[in-house]
Amino acid sequence: MTSGYAVPAGYAVPAGYAVPAGYAVPAGYAVPAGYVVESSRAETRDTVTLVLRPGRQPIAAHRPGQFTMLYAFGIGEVPISISGIAAGPELVQTIRAVGAVTRALCAAEPGQHVGVRGPFGTDWGVGVTAGSAGVEPPGTALSDPAGKDLLIVAGGIGLAPLRPALLTALAARERYGRITVLVGSRSPAEIAFTAELDSWREAGADVRVTVDRAEAGWRGNVGVVTQLIGKVDIDPAATVAFICGPEVMMRLTARALSALGIAETDIRVSLERNMRCGIAECGHCQLGTVLLCRDGPVLDYARARPLLAIREL
Amino acid sequence: MTETQPGGTRHADGPFLMDVTALSQLLGALEAAGYQVIGPTVSDDAIILSELGSAAQLPFGWGVELAPGGYRIRQRSDTAAFGHSAGPQSWKQYLHPPREKMWSVDRSGGEFDVVPADEPAPRRAFVGVRPCDLSAIGIQDQVLGRGEHAGSRYAARRAGVFIVAVNCTEPGATCFCTSMGTGPEAGPGYDLALTELVSDTDHKFLVDIGSPAGADMLAQVPVTPAGDGTTGLARSAVAQAADQMGRSMPADALHGLMAGSYDAARWDDVAQRCLTCGNCTMACPTCFCTTVEDVSDLSGEHAERWQLWDSCFSLSFSYLPGGSIRSSDHSRYRQWLTHKLGTWHDQFGSSGCVGCGRCIVWCPVGIDLTEEVAALQAEARQAEAQQAEAQQAEAQQAEAQQAGSRTPGARAGGEQQ
Ligand SMILES: Cc1cc2nc3c(=O)[nH]c(=O)nc-3n(C[C@H](O)[C@H](O)[C@H](O)COP(=O)(O)OP(=O)(O)OC[C@H]3O[C@@H](n4cnc5c(N)ncnc54)[C@H](O)[C@@H]3O)c2cc1C
Ligand code: SF4
Ligand code: SF4
Ligand code: FES
């Protein structure tokens, strides 16, 4: 009945605190919008890219690095990054089958319905124009790295959320300096988007791939992705790095780049925690001071490092 | 909003005095205005929250004895209706229910029709809301009902609530609201606030008005303006309660203490006692965490999504393929305490603890967070002292070395040789 409830005296909101500027749960955030699987493409043995067409109403526009909550009918809902850029209102999402929900999503056939909520979270900053600067959470400065060299480092399925950032940069090639893509994978058969690597090269990116385990016929690099860092020419002062992959890989990569002299604020990582809601109300995605669905998943390393340094946080 | 009654402006200021009969009439007026009246009542040897058919169901003459891991109701020597402190439940039961449907979806006919659960949000009157619990409602409002969550089911339920708060004059043995700045006097957010004044011959309530809706409601019951004497008596009883808290907490330093305590040895100590049962999070009036459950019917055409309370003490809470992030008991107790007292500030701009003491009372092994905080503080002080000592020793050594280098003879026995 009381309107305009004031936080009690002892609970005065400190001056420095603000819900991240521009953080707003899109209308209809609580219930999924129906989308129809338009096409399904197998990327690897266990990974599928779905193109989803909105049923009645599309979700709000998204930015590279954001994710949605994808719902498999009656089974469950999981966070999945947007992995591509569609010309229209379609969503491109790449899913690796690891459990009940992701298996069901990977098996979804054209014509089948899935539920979509979102888009949620912070983005990589690539292509973010001045007008949308309000999307940035406080404490990070995820601005568009215009004029800078872009260094994209992916481990496994981590390439999926990085792909729209890369495609955005390649579509405005002259806006950036050198664009380098380093991809690490367990084996050659597990590299996603293999068919596209050459087109990225043609569009002006230096793309290098390494595998943990070589197979017959593999003539490329063998070893972890951090080893590729030594093989490319990096100008630390002019580089902004984007990293996504298993947490250890992100930590080792960020450490190596930091040792080269790239500022921690110029290293961006996309973190992963259990997520049930995507809208800062279930508590599952907490990582110490941050809610990763609201303040992340993309954080700069100055903010992420102290959080990742605490075991079992 | 209740229509303004004739003479409603009579109650523009206050405070007022109301007797027990008028309390009964107030509850009746709330019911007549369409509110479901909820308040404390005795059931199964506890004072629980329940829908009240009449004021007679209030726990007149009952108090509670609270201790770590212990709760007992006792007969009071007087007939006070609100002479008890926090019970096993809190108002979040009603505003943020333990289990609720979120939406359902139907795909028969080749469509994907999502229907949000639209339980009509009942208009409820919460009677007997303690100051700590009023703050807890404010904190959950911040997390679940404001700004970006303005359209949530929580917000809809919250919007219909009328709050009759009760100032505390007799804190429990596990209470520490004074430390947390939430009591014993109710802060803003109530529609009406009562201070119970009970003696052998008299049973009255001082009533403060906190909102226009409160004024409208009070206009419907017989009250008299309170004289300075009675008002002073009531105010000083509440003020005195501030010094009678059974527990205390170093409120100012908590946020920083938590941020600096991630590596404390005390977590291992408490982890040996903690059963990770999650009772503390269920009893806590601000814990908001939830998980979801997806179900579908046999036809496979109809599915539902339900929301359930969850606790950071459960292993599945932090599940990721490859293992839960917080797999040790140590890390889960640490999550609870550091979230309540520390990172809540970073995430939501306030503390997540209101000092109600429920987590102490309802912990099966009697873990007392104020004791854990004191131990963490002692550990931090010790570490600081050691550091200062080490720095001093270092400085002395450096000084001695410098002095030594000036006296060649002194170098003979030095390590440099
Ligand atoms: C921001 C973000 C973006 C992601 N993007 C992608 C992507 O683009 N492609 C992709 O294949 N995977 C992605 N993941 C991981 C993906 O969400 C998990 O693989 C998925 O939740 C596993 O669910 P499951 O039911 O199939 O597996 P199970 O192991 O059966 O999981 C059970 C439940 O635990 C939770 N859970 C399990 N793993 C994760 C996880 N890694 N992250 C969060 N919650 C989890 C989910 O609620 C899940 O339903 C992303 C995760 C996050 C947090
Ligand atoms: S203490 Fe645990 S259950 Fe309570 S709000 Fe924090 S994370 Fe959620
Ligand atoms: S502190 Fe007590 S109530 Fe909380 S999980 Fe541990 S044993 Fe259970
Ligand atoms: S996913 Fe629920 S709070 Fe972030």
Side-chain angles (χ1 to χ4, degrees):
Chain A
M1 217 55 221
T2 328
S3 58
Y5 177 83
V7 177
Y11 287 84
V13 174
Y17 175 81
V19 165
Y23 176 70
V25 174
Y29 68 90
V31 297
Y35 271 64
V36 181
V37 177
E38 189 159 280
S39 66
S40 165
R41 182 180 76 196
E43 298 290 352
T44 69
R45 183 179 45 82
D46 59 4
T47 304
V48 163
T49 294
L50 299 179
V51 175
L52 305 171
R53 175 169 41 84
R56 294 202 182 92
Q57 186 114 47
I59 60 168
H62 57 84
R63 298 180 296 275
Q66 288 193 296
F67 67 95
T68 68
M69 295 296 286
L70 275 191
Y71 171 71
F73 195 94
I75 300 171
E77 191 188 46
V78 293
I80 300 290
S81 305
I82 295 163
S83 65
I85 297 171
E90 293 85 9
L91 283 173
V92 183
Q93 307 214 256
T94 302
I95 306 141
R96 181 160 169 250
V98 296
V101 180
T102 46
R103 264 200 303 273
L105 290 170
C106 284
E109 286 176 6
Q112 199 171 317
H113 278 100
V114 297
V116 181
R117 292 192 300 123
F120 299 129
T122 54
D123 63 285
W124 292 111
V126 175
V128 173
T129 50
S132 52
V135 299
E136 295 162 9
T140 59
L142 305 182
S143 52
D144 184 32
K148 296 274 200 154
D149 292 348
L150 310 188
L151 174 62
I152 292 171
V153 189
I157 185 77
L159 186 54
L162 287 164
R163 185 169 169 261
L166 172 64
L167 297 179
T168 301
L170 291 177
R173 187 65 194 84
E174 67 296 340
R175 199 174 157 85
Y176 305 97
R178 283 177 297 184
I179 298 178
T180 308
V181 183
L182 308 180
V183 179
S185 178
R186 261 180 295 177
S187 69
E190 286 172 77
I191 305 166
F193 311 111
T194 34
E196 289 175 40
L197 302 182
D198 280 337
S199 69
W200 299 347
R201 290 184 180 111
E202 278 158 28
D206 177 0
V207 182
R208 318 238 181 152
V209 180
T210 183
V211 296
D212 295 350
R213 270 180 290 107
E215 280 162 15
W218 177 257
R219 288 188 315 249
N221 299 293
V222 179
V224 292
V225 74
T226 40
Q227 290 172 353
L228 286 181
I229 292 171
K231 298 188 179 172
V232 293
D233 185 20
I234 295 170
D235 175 359
T239 300
V240 177
F242 305 84
I243 315 171
C244 188
E247 201 160 298
V248 274
M249 168 269 179
M250 290 195 279
R251 258 189 290 144
L252 293 176
T253 306
R255 194 186 297 169
L257 295 178
S258 179
L260 282 181
I262 301 181
E264 283 186 342
T265 46
D266 284 333
I267 301 173
R268 300 172 188 181
V269 294
S270 181
L271 303 180
E272 195 178 315
R273 282 295 177 272
N274 190 302
M275 290 187 178
R276 300 284 171 188
C277 72
I279 51 175
E281 67 176 32
C282 77
H284 281 257
C285 68
Q286 287 179 72
L287 177 62
T289 53
V290 305
L291 293 170
L292 276 182
C293 70
R294 179 188 74 181
D295 310 312
V298 181
L299 295 178
D300 74 27
Y301 204 61
R303 206 164 175 210
R305 184 186 37 75
L307 299 173
L308 296 179
I310 300 168
R311 282 195 58 219
E312 295 190 280
L313 185 64
Chain B
M1 276 284 191
T2 321
E3 287 295 314
T4 306
Q5 298 298 311
T9 48
R10 189 159 56 93
H11 297 308
D13 31 28
F16 297 93
L17 270 184
M18 169 173 100
D19 63 16
V20 186
T21 326
L23 174 66
S24 189
Q25 285 170 299
L26 175 64
L27 266 55
L30 286 165
E31 206 179 313
Y35 290 106
Q36 179 187 24
V37 178
I38 297 168
T41 191
V42 175
S43 170
D44 289 336
D45 295 329
I47 296 177
I48 62 155
L49 298 175
S50 173
E51 186 170 355
L52 301 178
S54 78
Q57 284 173 271
L58 288 167
F60 286 102
W62 288 99
V64 289
E65 258 163 44
L66 305 175
Y71 176 97
R72 228 155 48 97
I73 56 170
R74 65 174 169 90
Q75 201 81 57
R76 294 175 59 91
S77 58
D78 60 26
T79 59
F82 302 106
H84 55 89
S85 18
Q89 304 148 307
S90 71
W91 305 95
K92 82 173 177 184
Q93 295 254 125
Y94 296 98
L95 291 171
H96 181 45
R99 187 182 159 80
E100 65 172 314
K101 190 158 111 180
M102 302 174 84
W103 43 263
S104 59
V105 54
D106 205 294
R107 67 173 174 189
S108 55
E111 281 298 331
F112 186 88
D113 292 312
V114 183
V115 183
D118 62 343
E119 304 260 323
R123 294 173 73 216
R124 289 176 169 136
F126 292 170
V127 175
V129 178
R130 319 245 52 132
C132 54
D133 282 353
L134 183 62
S135 289
I137 293 172
I139 289 170
Q140 283 213 329
D141 286 353
Q142 180 84 1
V143 178
L144 301 172
R146 289 158 70 97
E148 62 276 12
H149 295 115
S152 63
R153 292 184 309 283
Y154 176 95
R157 282 187 291 260
R158 178 70 177 91
V161 170
F162 185 98
I163 292 180
V164 182
V166 177
N167 290 317
C168 275
T169 50
E170 247 185 69
T174 49
C175 291
F176 55 100
C177 66
T178 304
S179 300
M180 305 313 293
T182 62
E185 189 185 352
Y190 58 78
D191 294 291
L192 295 172
L194 313 179
T195 307
E196 190 164 26
L197 297 163
V198 59
S199 69
D200 292 344
T201 54
D202 208 14
H203 196 167
K204 280 195 163 50
F205 299 89
L206 184 83
V207 192
D208 288 295
I209 293 169
S211 74
D216 288 349
M217 203 47 72
L218 200 64
Q220 302 179 44
V221 297
V223 296
T224 54
D228 287 349
T230 321
T231 305
L233 205 69
R235 300 281 189 248
S236 70
V238 177
Q240 272 167 26
D243 303 325
Q244 294 163 19
M245 296 290 143
R247 294 281 189 284
S248 72
M249 196 77 114
D252 290 351
L254 291 177
H255 187 188
L257 177 66
M258 291 299 122
S261 290
Y262 282 100
D263 296 326
R266 183 67 183 187
W267 304 120
D268 285 328
D269 182 290
V270 66
Q272 286 183 355
R273 288 169 282 136
C274 175
L275 312 173
T276 66
C277 65
N279 273 13
C280 46
T281 56
M282 299 293 130
C284 177
T286 69
C287 273
F288 60 86
C289 289
T290 49
T291 186
V292 289
E293 201 173 83
D294 290 285
V295 291
S296 59
D297 69 2
L298 284 176
S299 73
E301 300 298 306
H302 180 84
E304 291 178 352
R305 167 161 273 222
W306 288 72
Q307 186 180 60
L308 290 78
W309 282 358
D310 200 358
S311 168
C312 57
F313 279 99
S314 84
L315 254 185
S316 62
F317 192 87
S318 62
Y319 172 83
L320 279 187
S324 290
I325 297 281
R326 295 180 209 107
S327 54
S328 71
D329 297 356
H330 156 146
S331 68
R332 277 175 278 153
Y333 187 87
R334 187 182 66 182
Q335 165 62 22
W336 139 260
L337 201 70
T338 55
H339 190 216
K340 288 280 104 164
L341 305 174
T343 53
W344 205 292
H345 287 279
D346 304 293
Q347 296 170 3
F348 304 111
S350 80
S351 168
C353 176
V354 296
C356 70
R358 284 186 180 87
C359 59
I360 307 174
V361 173
W362 298 99
C363 173
V365 293
I367 292 172
D368 176 346
L369 84 168
T370 64
E371 224 170 73
E372 298 312 314
V373 168
L376 287 168
Q377 196 175 41
E379 198 176 330
R381 293 232 169 101
Q382 204 179 354
E384 261 168 46
Q386 273 167 359
Q387 209 180 352
E389 221 168 89
Q391 271 169 359
Q392 206 178 358
E394 215 170 281
Q396 272 169 359
Q397 206 177 353
E399 214 171 282
Q401 261 172 18
Q402 224 172 20
S405 63
R406 271 186 255 114
T407 10
R411 292 183 69 176
E415 276 172 49
Q416 294 97 321
Q417 302 300 303

